[in-house]
Amino acid sequence: ERELAQFIGGNRQVICVNTGTAALQLAVQACGIGHGDEVLVPTLTFVASFQAVSATGATPVACDVLRDSGCLDPEDAARRITARTKAIMPVHYASGAGALKKIYELASKPGLRVIEDAAHAFGGVHNGARVGATGDVICFSFDGIKNITSGEGGAVVTADATVANRIKDARLLGVGKDTEKRFSGQRSWEFDVTAQGWRYHMSNVFAALGRAQLRRLEKEFGPRRAQLARQYVKLLANVPQLRHLNLDYGPIVPHIFPVFLSNGKRDAVREALCAENIESGIHYKPNHLLSFYGGGKLKLPVAEELYAQMLTLPLHFELTDAEQNRVVEVVRRCLVG
């Protein structure tokens, strides 16, 4: 936690937990949000964002996204604010921040909390500062495929001491001030519990993995991920019926590289890649289409359009230039001939 705080900067408290989903859930709970409350969430995100909200008893309210970034559309979010709205959860889709400034401006008027789902964005720089160094409450994921991994893990970053202390207690079953004792090798035997807690702390073994990964981020992982993304941009230039997100790779450390294929070409390209034993993905099925979150009763046209077009190409630290060229060759063959 100390090393993460030093890396992120901004005089922040960092609280490590066992998953990125736990980080989001505890952040929502620590902001005093629960039954009867609503949290605005972009529908284009992994279901973990929605599950973290509903796990507290609150209701995630699906919002549409911006076509050029895949991130939360502030205007659509503004239309969905009610007296029950307590927070906005912007998601750093594909490591980009989207219209984050407008989201904070939107939240400031009714006094809403902003809980950033920055699971894709660890290590990146936004407006001259590390992601997490500014803002209200920021949540990261360190699972096996993120920019750094602790095996499994996550973290909440905030300058709000009250929120930080609530999360410290809640991750250890709600036992008051148990963090200080456990992390100094002691135990709490006579204690009180005043709120719902969870078994969400990060283990020392996973923390050790995370520390080793953190030391490699700036010199190895970050530069290579950015290089691969820039190479994709160059290699896929002028390919018809294909577009990618316009992100500043370098300051942004990319977690995934989605492309958007028009005229119904997505599935054909995906099948061609699969035939060459090349994995691809779809990030993500919009949550408002899932049965538990409405089953498509709500119409969010931009997210639904992007969902029909999206395909995530391979991007990871050990991807070689030759492997990347092979991916591009298959894509170009499908779209150019």
Side-chain angles (χ1 to χ4, degrees):
E1 289 175 339
R2 287 193 298 270
E3 290 174 12
L4 286 170
Q6 183 178 8
F7 173 79
I8 292 167
N11 193 28
R12 304 250 129 177
Q13 290 199 55
V14 177
I15 308 97
C16 286
V17 293
N18 61 349
T19 67
T21 308
L24 291 168
Q25 180 186 334
L26 292 178
V28 173
Q29 179 177 316
C31 288
I33 299 167
H35 291 277
D37 298 330
E38 295 178 349
V39 178
L40 306 182
V41 191
T43 189
L44 196 63
T45 181
F46 188 45
V47 67
S49 308
F50 275 63
Q51 288 278 15
V53 175
S54 57
T56 69
T59 300
V61 176
C63 302
D64 214 342
V65 297
L66 298 169
R67 184 174 280 100
D68 63 347
S69 68
C71 293
L72 180 65
D73 181 345
E75 292 185 6
D76 188 73
R79 291 192 287 268
R80 303 183 192 283
I81 294 176
T82 71
R84 295 183 295 276
T85 307
K86 296 297 185 291
I88 306 176
M89 183 182 285
V91 175
H92 292 241
Y93 179 75
S95 308
L100 195 59
K101 181 180 178 181
K102 290 184 179 179
I103 291 166
Y104 271 94
E105 290 172 353
L106 175 64
S108 67
K109 297 172 185 177
L112 305 179
R113 302 304 299 248
V114 177
I115 301 167
E116 298 178 38
D117 181 345
H120 288 192
F122 183 77
V125 173
H126 177 65
N127 288 339
R130 293 275 184 204
V131 175
T134 61
D136 189 5
V137 184
I138 299 88
C139 298
F140 293 111
S141 171
F142 303 134
D143 73 19
I145 61 170
K146 293 303 193 298
N147 291 350
I148 67 168
T149 182
S150 57
E152 277 287 356
V156 184
V157 183
T158 185
D160 187 324
T162 299
V163 168
N165 288 333
R166 287 175 179 171
I167 294 171
K168 288 178 182 178
D169 289 349
R171 68 174 169 181
L172 288 165
L173 299 172
V175 176
K177 300 186 182 302
D178 199 31
T179 283
E180 292 80 359
K181 289 194 174 182
R182 282 182 179 266
F183 292 174
S184 63
Q186 304 178 57
R187 287 290 301 273
S188 299
W189 299 112
E190 295 293 334
F191 56 82
D192 195 14
V193 173
T194 60
Q196 175 65 53
W198 313 90
R199 193 73 169 176
Y200 285 174
H201 65 286
M202 177 183 281
S203 74
N204 289 335
V205 173
F206 283 179
L209 291 173
R211 292 181 66 201
Q213 289 267 304
L214 181 59
R215 289 193 288 269
R216 300 179 63 186
L217 177 64
E218 287 188 280
K219 292 184 178 180
E220 298 179 66
F221 302 150
R224 181 55 179 164
R225 283 179 170 273
Q227 180 187 24
L228 287 165
R230 289 193 298 266
Q231 287 176 179
Y232 267 134
V233 170
K234 182 178 179 180
L235 293 167
L236 294 169
N238 302 318
V239 173
Q241 304 169 87
L242 180 150
R243 74 174 181 91
H244 54 77
L245 301 178
N246 185 22
L247 298 176
D248 186 10
Y249 298 114
I252 289 176
V253 179
H255 166 54
I256 57 174
F257 191 87
V259 295
F260 301 89
L261 306 168
S262 59
N263 296 330
K265 295 289 187 178
R266 191 271 305 277
D267 291 343
V269 174
R270 190 181 188 197
E271 289 169 7
L273 289 168
C274 184
E276 297 288 339
N277 293 318
I278 298 171
E279 293 287 345
S280 60
I282 297 176
H283 294 86
Y284 300 94
K285 183 173 183 177
N287 284 268
H288 73 283
L289 301 179
L290 304 178
S291 297
F292 193 56
Y293 296 114
K297 294 177 182 177
L298 177 68
K299 299 301 179 184
L300 298 175
V302 176
E304 291 168 27
E305 175 191 328
L306 295 181
Y307 174 51
Q309 298 177 350
M310 62 177 56
L311 187 69
T312 304
L313 302 181
L315 178 72
H316 56 86
F317 171 69
E318 294 185 337
L319 185 71
T320 67
D321 289 350
E323 288 169 336
Q324 185 180 41
N325 287 331
R326 185 163 155 255
V327 173
V328 172
E329 179 186 353
V330 175
V331 173
R332 293 185 70 93
R333 186 169 69 234
C334 289
L335 299 178
V336 180

